[in-house]
Amino acid sequence: MASVIIRLMIQAFLYCLMVQIGFGIEYYVAAVYEHHSILNSNPTALSDRKSALEFMFRNLDIYEQQVNIASKKGVQIIVFPEDGIHGFNYSRMSIYPYLDLLPSSYSLTWNPCLEPNKFQDTEVLQRLSCMAKEGRMFVVANLGTKVPCEQEDPKCPPDGRYHFNTNVVFSDNGTLIARYFKQNLYFEYGFDIPPHVQHVIFHTPFARFGLFTCFDILFYEPVVTLIEKFKVKHLVYPTAWMNQLPLLSSIQIHRAFATGFNINILAANIHHTTLGMSGSGIFSPLSSSYHFDMGSENGQLIIAKVPVDPSEELCQGDEDWGSVLKSETFEDNVIYTSSQSCHSEDRNGHCGGGAAGEYGSFNAEMMYDNFTFVPLNTSQGTIQVCGGKLCCYVTYQKQNSTKELYALGVFDGLHTVHGQYSLQICALVKCGSLNATTCGQEVTDANGVFTFKLWGNFSTKYVFPMIVTSGVNLQLPDWWGWKDNHCYMRKKTMDLGLVTAALYGRYYERD
Ligand SMILES: *[C@@H]1O[C@H](CO)[C@@H](O)[C@H](O)[C@H]1NC(C)=O
Ligand SMILES: *[C@@H]1O[C@H](CO)[C@@H](O)[C@H](O)[C@H]1NC(C)=O
Ligand SMILES: *[C@@H]1O[C@H](CO)[C@@H](O)[C@H](O)[C@H]1NC(C)=O
Ligand SMILES: *[C@@H]1O[C@H](CO)[C@@H](O)[C@H](O)[C@H]1NC(C)=O
Ligand SMILES: *[C@@H]1O[C@H](CO)[C@@H](O)[C@H](O)[C@H]1NC(C)=O
Ligand SMILES: *[C@@H]1O[C@H](CO)[C@@H](O)[C@H](O)[C@H]1NC(C)=O
Ligand SMILES: *[C@@H]1O[C@H](CO)[C@@H](O)[C@H](O)[C@H]1NC(C)=O
């Protein structure tokens, strides 16, 4: 991502100049709706189309109310979450009555609201299309669809149809303009993986958007291709995300993704605290409007102005990153002292590998991965921890003395639980208690306030910076980027205690 940062700096400079001499920033108005969905209590039971529709219309009634509210506030595009209409945990048999038909022709121009009788089994599409038309806004929603296939297609299921987890997009006059079939399914037995990866982009008068869904955010296809090859700057993202701290809370990953790729992301999640689902928002590289609430069961509409060019925001970000980029040259010389750094490395480059105790390193499980940790047991200093080919460092100063255990952890390897993906991670976390065996456990509150610099020698350029503070609040680094093959993140002031500061690297090539 080094080149991205340099490009960013040049662009930031030019745009800031333009903004200062009065060109102003162009925005559009977006909304995401965190939906407390009405769930099917017995999703594997067989149903008929009529009851399935009655059920789904209860969720669609709520969608319609939200579009009406959004319409009065000038919203131009609204995003609803994954599984928000039909729910989850269906089997291939039991989901059938919940599926709308999607005609297999892509070139078809169809306005389901105006042409309701063109195809059978399209009642959900018709309602969404009418909402878009009545509300005069682009509507993005997720539903289950059935798409007929030919037996000559080697991937066509034996029953002659695909079942897809589908995002659809309607233009502000109700025309169906895009559909995307989720690539990376997450234990969804009712759905099929599409026979080909879909890179779906749709156009509006205000911006050009890419589409992806939930678990897709952890994989190269389709989203990295959308960003890098197709130069997409805005992503719409329906999700049904179960939060998992310290590293993968919904808003945490949305924020890190927007900052890491320098894009805007419109993320709509389901709201069900019993399932660990909450956290939606509208994120641009330096600002965000988000909602996270584990204390009630209410839905939430989030509306925000989004910069048409996410780079322009660098001129006026809260954290004043723009002026940092303009004015500062970084004193990013490596400042750990040899007495505090690694004294001896074992054959695998593990710092103090054989000599736990001496350097105080220990192993503990975090998010099902075997991390190596070193505790932060003094009020300031620099520590190092290595694992595999990755060495992580933190130079820190703890601002207030709290009785809490923090540790710096490293992981370089393949994650294999609930999906396989390769990771390189440097993470400073608050442990569950003062006992080191609890480092890596889920923690939501903390009091320790730090000034720190965190860095590591990553082998992948896809590193996402994340800072979570007490109560699951988000912070941006004061600065992050690359220098001498190390990825850095720096933070000087925090008004809440630190829960997690991490450089989350995805090593796609090694999957
Ligand atoms: C769906 O299945 C998951 C995993 O088996 C379970 O944790 C969850 O409670 C189920 N959700 C519903 C709504 O049935
Ligand atoms: C409806 O919107 C689509 C897509 O934006 C556009 O191509 C079409 O011309 C519009 N139709 C009418 C009748 O305005
Ligand atoms: C603090 O940790 C360092 C290494 O991380 C270790 O050498 C030292 O003994 C520890 N000190 C205390 C007081 O636990
Ligand atoms: C974690 O890794 C360490 C060495 O890297 C190893 O000694 C330990 O057995 C591993 N723990 C588990 C639970 O696999
Ligand atoms: C990272 O640094 C460690 C310690 O210097 C070294 O052993 C390792 O090979 C480095 N990794 C990469 C990818 O350069
Ligand atoms: C440390 O600072 C945080 C944030 O200001 C505060 O919430 C916490 O109570 C402080 N703790 C101590 C022990 O000073
Ligand atoms: C830390 O936790 C482990 C595992 O729960 C336990 O065996 C150990 O006794 C604890 N250590 C202390 C000092 O409490």
Side-chain angles (χ1 to χ4, degrees):
M1 243 168 247
S3 65
V4 175
I5 293 295
I6 291 164
R7 198 155 10 101
L8 215 77
M9 290 171 70
I10 295 165
Q11 285 179 356
F13 178 73
L14 289 176
Y15 284 124
C16 293
L17 213 63
M18 281 168 61
V19 169
Q20 276 154 19
I21 58 179
F23 281 83
I25 294 187
E26 261 186 275
Y27 292 99
Y28 62 92
V29 182
V32 299
Y33 183 60
E34 179 159 312
H35 178 44
H36 179 68
S37 56
I38 299 161
L39 288 179
N40 189 337
S41 55
N42 192 359
T44 51
L46 300 185
S47 174
D48 53 37
R49 178 71 177 166
K50 185 168 172 285
S51 346
L53 284 175
E54 275 168 18
F55 171 77
M56 293 191 286
F57 279 15
R58 291 164 63 201
N59 281 311
L60 285 165
D61 290 346
I62 300 171
Y63 281 25
E64 197 172 285
Q65 290 163 9
Q66 298 305 320
V67 170
N68 288 338
I69 296 168
S71 177
K72 295 194 180 88
K73 301 199 168 167
V75 168
Q76 294 164 282
I77 181 169
I78 189 167
V79 183
F80 289 101
E82 183 191 29
D83 300 333
I85 300 170
H86 57 281
F88 14 74
N89 290 1
Y90 292 93
S91 68
R92 189 174 171 87
M93 288 274 281
S94 71
I95 203 167
Y96 185 69
Y98 296 84
L99 304 177
D100 263 38
L101 177 89
L102 256 194
S104 43
S105 161
Y106 274 84
S107 51
L108 176 88
T109 305
W110 178 37
N111 185 318
C113 189
L114 297 178
E115 304 159 278
N117 299 321
K118 199 156 177 168
F119 305 99
Q120 290 269 301
D121 293 343
T122 55
E123 290 85 348
V124 174
L125 293 170
Q126 288 167 36
R127 284 206 59 182
L128 292 167
S129 164
C130 292
M131 285 178 211
K133 183 172 166 294
E134 300 301 320
R136 291 186 306 276
M137 74 183 70
F138 287 77
V139 169
V140 182
N142 174 277
L143 77 163
T145 65
K146 51 184 177 183
V147 179
C149 51
E150 304 296 334
Q151 291 306 336
E152 297 87 75
D153 171 355
K155 292 190 176 156
C156 183
D159 52 14
R161 57 173 190 260
Y162 287 110
H163 292 184
F164 291 129
N165 174 330
T166 308
N167 296 340
V168 286
V169 185
F170 296 93
S171 86
D172 56 4
N173 63 29
T175 303
L176 177 63
I177 56 165
R179 68 272 193 76
Y180 165 72
F181 305 139
K182 184 181 183 184
Q183 178 69 27
N184 300 282
L185 296 176
Y186 188 81
F187 305 102
E188 296 165 69
Y189 303 110
F191 290 122
D192 301 307
I193 297 169
H196 310 287
V197 179
Q198 317 234 306
H199 300 111
V200 180
I201 294 166
F202 66 94
H203 297 260
T204 70
F206 41 93
R208 182 171 158 268
F209 292 86
L211 278 161
F212 70 130
T213 309
C214 200
F215 200 35
D216 285 337
I217 202 164
L218 292 176
F219 298 91
Y220 191 86
E221 291 293 7
V223 66
V224 182
T225 299
L226 282 174
I227 294 168
E228 293 191 337
K229 180 162 174 229
F230 295 101
K231 310 288 178 209
V232 164
K233 288 282 182 193
H234 307 259
L235 290 163
V236 289
Y237 181 55
T239 187
W241 192 273
M242 290 171 122
N243 292 313
Q244 203 184 6
L245 281 167
L247 300 173
L248 288 181
S249 189
S250 54
I251 50 175
Q252 175 183 16
I253 186 106
H254 305 156
R255 151 51 68 231
F257 208 73
T259 307
F261 277 123
N262 191 35
I263 45 116
N264 296 326
I265 175 165
L266 281 45
N269 197 3
I270 294 282
H271 187 91
H272 268 286
T273 59
T274 48
L275 298 172
M277 292 180 179
S278 175
S280 307
I282 297 171
F283 300 85
S284 39
L286 292 187
S287 64
S288 57
S289 302
Y290 62 86
H291 174 74
F292 177 84
D293 165 29
M294 292 299 275
S296 84
E297 287 298 354
N298 302 323
Q300 178 73 40
L301 185 68
I302 302 151
I303 299 177
K305 277 165 56 179
V306 187
V308 167
D309 184 334
S311 312
E312 291 188 345
E313 208 195 18
L314 293 173
C315 310
Q316 39 185 254
D318 281 354
E319 306 278 333
D320 212 16
W321 211 355
S323 66
V324 171
L325 284 177
K326 272 190 295 179
S327 65
E328 210 173 327
T329 44
F330 299 103
E331 74 326 330
D332 267 325
N333 31 348
V334 177
I335 53 168
Y336 59 90
T337 63
S338 60
S339 68
Q340 287 167 313
S341 72
C342 197
H343 291 270
S344 64
E345 286 175 19
D346 69 12
R347 257 172 282 120
N348 305 319
H350 289 265
C351 185
E358 190 187 349
Y359 301 105
S361 85
F362 58 92
N363 284 84
E365 197 175 89
M366 175 149 85
M367 318 272 305
Y368 305 105
D369 295 321
N370 185 358
F371 275 73
T372 305
F373 286 100
V374 171
L376 272 60
N377 59 3
T378 51
S379 64
Q380 61 180 339
T382 296
I383 56 174
Q384 163 181 353
V385 63
C386 299
K389 287 245 160 283
L390 176 64
C391 282
C392 304
Y393 311 82
V394 68
T395 294
Y396 68 95
Q397 191 169 22
K398 200 167 172 213
Q399 307 290 10
N400 59 5
S401 64
T402 65
K403 266 209 150 44
E404 292 170 315
L405 177 62
Y406 282 85
L408 175 66
V410 64
F411 178 71
D412 180 10
L414 187 67
H415 175 95
T416 56
V417 178
H418 302 154
Q420 279 212 5
Y421 41 94
S422 185
L423 299 171
Q424 284 200 317
I425 297 171
C426 291
L428 172 57
V429 296
K430 183 192 154 177
C431 304
S433 74
L434 295 179
N435 187 333
T437 59
T438 65
C439 294
Q441 289 184 357
E442 181 140 18
V443 170
T444 52
D445 295 293
N447 288 320
V449 172
F450 289 85
T451 289
F452 67 88
K453 183 161 91 177
L454 174 68
W455 72 104
N457 63 346
F458 291 82
S459 308
T460 174
K461 66 171 179 162
Y462 300 101
V463 180
F464 304 98
M466 36 179 70
I467 301 176
V468 178
T469 54
S470 197
V472 194
N473 284 289
L474 301 177
Q475 297 261 296
L476 282 168
D478 296 336
W479 185 80
W480 81 283
W482 289 82
K483 184 164 182 177
D484 303 333
N485 297 319
H486 289 68
C487 184
Y488 287 80
M489 164 162 101
R490 199 174 64 193
K491 187 76 187 157
K492 271 203 187 109
T493 49
M494 289 192 282
D495 47 9
L496 292 167
L498 180 69
V499 171
T500 306
L503 293 166
Y504 188 95
R506 265 294 278 120
Y507 202 161
Y508 302 111
E509 301 99 298
R510 201 175 59 177
D511 281 358

